[in-house]
Amino acid sequence: DVKVTQSSRYLVKRTGEKVFLECVQDMDHENMFWYRQDPGLGLRLIYFSYDVKMKEKGDIPEGYSVSREKKERFSLILESASTNQTSMYLCASSRTVLRWLAGSYEQYFGPGTRLTVT
Amino acid sequence: QKEVEQDPGPLSVPEGAIVSLNCTYSNSAFQYFMWYRQYSRKGPELLMYTYSSGNKEDGRFTAQVDKSSKYISLFIRDSQPSDSATYLCAMSVGKANGANSKLTFGKGITLSVRP
């Protein structure tokens, strides 16, 4: 059974703290993603990675950084947490599909981390 | 204009109703269309996917794509309380390598099916 796990379900941090959110997948997927989900705004892509040590900015990268040192692990870092970063954070992974119709583009999601910054 | 627009909801229907969920998009390069279902306090899970235009049926669910109108729909027949969830449409340009691996999601609509 495919699995994406996230290090915490709930997290409370103080303004200005450095926060690490960890994501691990066991499917040998090349691609990994970090989203945040907020009411009325939907899923917004923060960063993604299509290979070890590679990263691409998503739609809202400001205030975040990422690290991917191993294929199975993708970390999201909040350098100095702020209250507007209170949100649900979702990690996902997918396999690389090199040819049209050659496979599934499905992203598999973790259960999410509810982060509250006070 | 956002690349993908989805009816904001929420939507509440009685058990047994036919539900129609819709998304429109502006990027004509999208080739692969998906619907995800997200239960409360869980991550989204893939419900259905279709390539290009046409219909696809899976039990009580039908996904429909009209590329000429840039419009996709998800129909739920004989809706059940267990269908109560948030539904998100998602789209891809049809390649999933490198920078093309990302999906573009609609905002999601919350459906409640009343017993």
Side-chain angles (χ1 to χ4, degrees):
Chain A
D1 197 16
V2 297
K3 205 163 185 184
V4 178
T5 56
Q6 296 184 228
S7 50
S8 305
R9 292 301 306 270
Y10 300 93
L11 207 53
V12 179
K13 295 291 181 180
R14 293 192 182 274
T15 302
E17 278 193 82
K18 191 169 186 176
V19 181
F20 293 87
L21 302 183
E22 302 284 332
C23 176
V24 177
Q25 50 96 3
D26 65 359
M27 296 164 281
D28 200 35
H29 283 170
E30 292 80 15
N31 309 307
M32 296 188 75
F33 308 83
W34 275 107
Y35 297 89
R36 62 178 284 178
Q37 188 174 34
D38 301 285
L41 297 176
L43 273 176
R44 292 183 291 168
L45 182 64
I46 304 171
Y47 268 99
F48 68 105
S49 167
Y50 53 86
D51 201 352
V52 176
K53 297 192 187 293
M54 302 299 289
K55 61 183 180 184
E56 289 274 340
K57 292 180 180 179
D59 300 318
I60 51 162
E62 297 79 18
Y64 303 93
S65 62
V66 291
S67 172
R68 193 167 180 202
E69 297 295 321
K70 293 186 177 182
K71 189 176 185 180
E72 67 271 18
R73 188 179 297 269
F74 192 33
S75 302
L76 180 69
I77 302 150
L78 287 67
E79 296 289 342
S80 178
S82 63
T83 55
N84 62 13
Q85 293 179 310
T86 291
S87 186
M88 170 67 83
Y89 289 88
L90 288 158
C91 175
S93 72
S94 70
R95 57 187 290 263
T96 285
V97 179
L98 296 176
R99 292 179 295 111
W100 172 233
L101 297 184
S104 168
Y105 304 90
E106 178 178 3
Q107 289 186 10
Y108 295 84
F109 284 83
T113 296
R114 172 73 65 185
L115 173 67
T116 302
V117 182
T118 61
Chain B
Q1 182 190 11
K2 286 186 67 69
E3 275 195 298
V4 178
E5 301 274 6
Q6 184 171 3
D7 295 341
L11 184 61
S12 179
V13 300
E15 184 174 353
I18 296 173
V19 176
S20 172
L21 308 176
N22 309 297
C23 288
T24 58
Y25 63 94
S26 58
N27 187 349
S28 58
F30 287 140
Q31 300 280 357
Y32 188 90
F33 304 91
M34 287 160 274
W35 286 95
Y36 280 78
R37 180 173 60 192
Q38 184 178 20
Y39 289 115
S40 181
R41 291 185 290 279
K42 302 266 186 171
E45 289 184 312
L46 183 67
L47 181 62
M48 294 187 71
Y49 67 90
T50 54
Y51 294 112
S52 198
S53 283
N55 291 0
K56 184 174 183 179
E57 191 173 316
D58 183 2
R60 296 183 295 108
F61 298 88
T62 299
Q64 191 173 78
V65 174
D66 181 348
K67 288 194 72 182
S68 62
S69 301
K70 297 190 178 68
Y71 190 88
I72 71 169
S73 299
L74 178 70
F75 298 97
I76 307 174
R77 290 186 302 280
D78 187 26
S79 56
Q80 302 295 309
S82 59
D83 296 328
S84 297
T86 297
Y87 291 80
L88 302 100
C89 61
M91 306 179 189
S92 166
V93 297
K95 300 175 185 177
N97 58 307
N100 291 316
S101 59
K102 65 179 185 177
L103 299 177
T104 302
F105 284 87
K107 288 184 179 180
I109 183 169
T110 298
L111 171 67
S112 175
V113 182
R114 308 185 302 272

